[in-house]
């Protein structure tokens, strides 16, 4: 199978600092990849360079034609007159000029996208009044409606409680499996993703190690990546990385 | 109260209300109410300057309003947006003070630039006001979706190739055009009330973006018409009716929403 996204020796410099160096990996259709690493390691930079929002200083990126993007946090006041369905509708053609007229086809597409992520119940609620997990789902629906082959999510699990976290992961894994959408999300904790990840993209120290989780997350591998000794501990099926 | 000069008043004020309702809707949505305050109030310096050197007041307003919008848009991304907006306003007010002090015989005119001269709209002024109004409405219509997308989801807009900065600047320029047309009619201070009050009231009543926009325009028209009628009857300052009208509609909208939607239902 041919790859959807390919980074070949990509480097990023921002403000004279090397943020990412020699990043190389590929993502195939329907794959679930987790971009894992400590805060400040360059996860968001990696997402932004894939989106084309910041230029790469070195290397080559091959991208699919449509990429869906879900930012880390919505910043919408509770009284903004925008319902969940309006946000999803904007995903269809919000970047074009003019305005769109309501139609049955548009409504059906919006309903379907909301149903696919299990957000049908609050389609008519103001998006600013929804909880963090509900907003995540609405944003995933917003990204899905443009039929992307690759879906990028920036820290979608941050600030969610454990049960909601698991729900979002289940929704995303289902999308990857059933719709053949490659899902890539960044997270500082790999544990909620261990059972669904096809590939881990571990970012530390501006460098990236990638592969199956068990091959990448080892004491030797991560120590080399971090540039100092770390221990990888397995506790009741959970993985903990500890600086040594 | 609908004949002669007053007919011009009704037409011009209605155009102003429609434009204020539309631009105000997006100013509130985009969190640019401070710019909506700064541009009309700062632009009064342009009018004062124009009357000092004997140029058409609308030209003076347009030049300074556009310059202010460009200043806020260009510098606002580098530093904090509100600080740049404040400095632009302060600079323009400073210039306005100088121009007004140089032409003391125009005190009455200065007053009308701030508080409007709604009963003094001449036949010749109606056409340019309507033209500029149409231009501002078209400009908003053309950019409706990008305006919505960049207001609600700026990061996503960027990822989809819509520059939030450019849309910001575009909208500021639309506000500048709207300002140069509305300030001679309702005045700088009232233009601001007419932009914010109706838009804020509309969004507290409905969650539908299209309906909220239409409602914002409708409330702006209602306030304007009511204010002119009351002004005509009582001869109290027009600004009193426009200002209190906006606040009143907002409070009524807020109350209606509290009654209609218990908070426990909307937040889970």
């Amino acid at each position: 199978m041919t790859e959807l996204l390919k980074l070949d020796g990509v480097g990023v410099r921002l403000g004279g600092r090397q943020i990412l160096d020699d990043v190389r990996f590929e993502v195939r259709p329907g794959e679930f990849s987790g971009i894992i690493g400590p805060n400040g390691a360059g996860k968001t930079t990696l997402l932004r360079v894939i989106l084309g929002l910041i230029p790469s200083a070195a290397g080559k990126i091959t991208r699919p034609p449509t990429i869906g993007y879900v930012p880390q946090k919505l910043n919408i006041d509770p009284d903004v007159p925008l319902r969940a369905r309006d946000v999803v509708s904007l995903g269809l053609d919000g970047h074009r000029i003019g305005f769109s007229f309501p139609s049955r086809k548009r409504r059906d597409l919006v309903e379907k996208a909301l149903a696919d992520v299990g957000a049908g119940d609050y389609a008519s609620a103001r998006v600013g009044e929804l909880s963090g997990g509900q907003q995540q789902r609405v944003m995933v629906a917003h990204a899905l409606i443009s039929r992307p082959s690759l879906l990028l999510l920036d820290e979608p699990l941050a600030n969610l409680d454990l049960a909601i976290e698991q729900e979002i992961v289940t929704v995303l894994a289902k999308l990857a499996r059933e719709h053949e959408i490659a899902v890539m999300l960044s997270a500082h904790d790999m544990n909620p993703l261990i059972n669904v990840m096809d590939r881990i993209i571990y970012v530390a120290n501006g460098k990236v190690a990638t592969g199956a989780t068990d091959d990448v997350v080892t004491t030797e591998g991560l120590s080399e990546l971090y540039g100092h000794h770390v221990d990888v501990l397995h506790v009741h099926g959970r993985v903990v990385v500890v600086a040594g | 109260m609908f004949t002669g000069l007053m007919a011009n008043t009704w037409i011009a004020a209605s155009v102003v209300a429609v434009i204020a309702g539309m631009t105000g809707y997006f100013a509130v949505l985009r969190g640019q109410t401070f710019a909506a305050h700064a541009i009309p109030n700062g632009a009064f310096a342009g009018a004062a300057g124009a009357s000092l050197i004997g140029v058409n007041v609308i030209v003076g307003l347009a030049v300074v309003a556009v310059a202010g919008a460009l200043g806020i848009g260009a510098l606002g991304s580098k530093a904090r947006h509100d600080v740049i907006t404040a400095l632009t306003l302060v600079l323009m007010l400073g210039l306005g003070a100088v121009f007004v002090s140089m032409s003391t015989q125009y005190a009455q005119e200065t007053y009308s630039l701030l508080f409007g001269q709604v009963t003094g709209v001449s036949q010749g002024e109606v056409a340019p006001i309507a033209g500029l109004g149409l231009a501002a409405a078209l400009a908003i219509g053309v950019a409706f979706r990008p305006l919505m997308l960049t207001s609600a989801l700026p990061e996503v807009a960027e990822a989809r190739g819509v520059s939030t900065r450019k849309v910001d600047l575009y909208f500021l320029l639309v506000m500048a055009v709207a300002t140069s047309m509305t300030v001679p009619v309702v005045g700088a201070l009232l233009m601001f009330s007419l932009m914010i009050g109706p838009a804020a009231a509309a969004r507290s009543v409905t969650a539908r973006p299209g309906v909220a926009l239409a409602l914002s325009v409708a409330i702006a028209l209602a306030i304007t018409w009511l204010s002119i009628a009351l002004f005509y009857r009582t001869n109290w300052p027009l600004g009193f009716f426009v200002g209190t009208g906006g606040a009143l509609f907002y409070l009524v909208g807020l109350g209606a929403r509290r009654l209609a939607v218990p908070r426990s239902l909307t937040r889970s």
Side-chain angles (χ1 to χ4, degrees), chain A residues 48-72:
Chain A
R48 291 175 68 81
V49 78
I50 292 172
L51 283 166
L53 289 175
I54 47 175
S56 54
K60 191 167 167 292
I61 305 178
T62 315
R63 300 180 180 86
T66 42
I67 303 180
Y69 172 55
V70 177
Q72 184 169 358

Side-chain angles (χ1 to χ4, degrees), chain A residues 48 51 53 67 69-83 86-87 90-101 106 124-126 128-131 134 139 142 146 154, chain B residues 25 28-29 140-162 199-200 202-210 212 250 254 257 261 263 266-268:
Chain A
R48 291 175 68 81
L51 283 166
L53 289 175
I67 303 180
Y69 172 55
V70 177
Q72 184 169 358
K73 189 144 178 42
L74 272 185
N75 248 326
I76 297 183
D77 286 343
D79 62 343
V80 169
L82 207 59
R83 298 163 300 169
D86 302 316
V87 169
L90 275 175
L92 212 50
D93 50 16
H95 58 296
R96 302 226 182 94
I97 61 166
F99 39 86
S100 41
F101 293 96
R106 167 178 289 271
S124 295
R126 285 184 201 239
E129 289 190 328
L130 298 176
S131 68
Q134 290 172 328
M139 283 310 296
H142 164 96
S146 60
D154 190 6
Chain B
Y25 173 79
V28 171
L29 190 63
I140 287 181
V142 164
F144 187 83
R145 284 188 299 213
L147 278 170
M148 291 299 286
L149 185 66
T150 50
S151 305
L153 313 166
E155 285 178 72
V156 176
E158 292 284 348
R160 300 189 71 175
V162 181
R203 67 195 231 149
S204 65
V205 176
T206 176
R208 295 161 178 262
Y250 177 66
L254 210 60
R257 186 171 164 211
V261 193
R263 286 200 87 70
T266 57
R267 201 177 275 277
S268 55

Side-chain angles (χ1 to χ4, degrees), chain A residues 172-194:
Chain A
L172 293 173
K174 190 169 154 244
L175 288 174
R177 217 169 40 239
E178 292 178 6
H179 297 244
E180 279 287 291
I181 297 169
V183 173
M184 279 181 91
L185 61 83
S186 63
H188 52 265
D189 180 15
M190 72 188 88
N191 285 300
L193 304 168
I194 279 179

Side-chain angles (χ1 to χ4, degrees), chain A residues 3-7 25-27 50 61-63 150 184:
Chain A
E3 76 274 355
L4 202 58
L5 173 74
K6 184 173 180 184
L7 277 76
F25 62 83
E26 342 186 312
V27 172
I50 292 172
I61 305 178
T62 315
R63 300 180 180 86
L150 173 65
M184 279 181 91

Side-chain angles (χ1 to χ4, degrees), chain A residues 40-231:
Chain A
K43 299 191 295 284
T44 299
T45 304
L46 180 56
L47 283 179
R48 291 175 68 81
V49 78
I50 292 172
L51 283 166
L53 289 175
I54 47 175
S56 54
K60 191 167 167 292
I61 305 178
T62 315
R63 300 180 180 86
T66 42
I67 303 180
Y69 172 55
V70 177
Q72 184 169 358
K73 189 144 178 42
L74 272 185
N75 248 326
I76 297 183
D77 286 343
D79 62 343
V80 169
L82 207 59
R83 298 163 300 169
R85 64 172 80 247
D86 302 316
V87 169
V88 177
S89 177
L90 275 175
L92 212 50
D93 50 16
H95 58 296
R96 302 226 182 94
I97 61 166
F99 39 86
S100 41
F101 293 96
S103 69
R104 170 157 285 275
K105 187 169 166 244
R106 167 178 289 271
R107 205 169 64 218
D108 290 346
L109 283 171
V110 170
E111 295 298 331
K112 168 132 190 0
L114 282 163
D116 281 345
V117 298
D121 289 348
Y122 36 88
S124 295
R126 285 184 201 239
V127 70
E129 289 190 328
L130 298 176
S131 68
Q134 290 172 328
Q135 288 184 344
Q136 277 297 344
R137 286 177 191 243
V138 172
M139 283 310 296
V140 172
H142 164 96
L144 276 185
I145 203 168
S146 60
R147 306 198 131 272
S149 45
L150 173 65
L151 184 60
L152 296 186
L153 303 97
D154 190 6
E155 294 271 359
L157 308 180
N159 308 317
L160 298 182
D161 56 51
L162 285 175
I164 310 287
E165 192 176 89
Q166 216 33 256
E167 279 178 26
I168 297 280
V169 171
T170 309
V171 166
L172 293 173
K174 190 169 154 244
L175 288 174
R177 217 169 40 239
E178 292 178 6
H179 297 244
E180 279 287 291
I181 297 169
V183 173
M184 279 181 91
L185 61 83
S186 63
H188 52 265
D189 180 15
M190 72 188 88
N191 285 300
L193 304 168
I194 279 179
N195 293 327
V196 296
M197 265 192 297
D198 297 308
R199 166 195 312 279
I200 190 168
I201 298 162
Y202 203 103
V203 188
N205 211 8
K207 293 194 214 42
V208 164
T210 178
T213 311
D214 287 341
D215 298 338
V216 173
V217 186
T218 59
T219 295
E220 297 75 35
L222 289 193
S223 293
E224 199 189 324
L225 198 62
Y226 275 95
H228 58 81
H229 182 80
V230 296
D231 283 308

Side-chain angles (χ1 to χ4, degrees), chain B residues 28-49:
Chain B
V28 171
L29 190 63
R30 302 177 75 76
Q32 285 181 323
T33 52
F34 189 27
H37 171 75
I39 291 178
N41 286 292
F44 122 91

